[in-house]
Amino acid sequence: MTRRERQELERKLAETHRLALEPTDALTRERLAQLIEDLEFQLLAERLAA
């Protein structure tokens, strides 16, 4: 994973965290939680591979 790809994942993760703080319905909260989990996993996997 390139530095740019990692930065893009970090940006998406930060944006998703901000969206998760806003009032939403249960389905949206679940989808945001899953997206956060997926993004964090991708970043972690990249760090472990490095």
Side-chain angles (χ1 to χ4, degrees), residues 4-27:
R4 184 175 182 181
E5 290 170 331
R6 181 179 48 79
Q7 288 175 332
E8 181 66 17
L9 282 176
E10 290 172 348
R11 184 194 65 75
K12 286 180 182 180
L13 181 59
E15 182 179 352
T16 304
H17 274 290
R18 281 191 301 274
L19 289 172
L21 294 175
E22 296 177 7
T24 56
D25 60 278
L27 179 60

Side-chain angles (χ1 to χ4, degrees), residues 22-41:
E22 296 177 7
T24 56
D25 60 278
L27 179 60
T28 302
R29 279 194 305 270
E30 180 62 32
R31 287 182 178 169
L32 289 171
Q34 184 62 50
L35 181 56
I36 289 169
E37 207 172 285
D38 292 346
L39 291 169
E40 287 175 339
F41 179 78

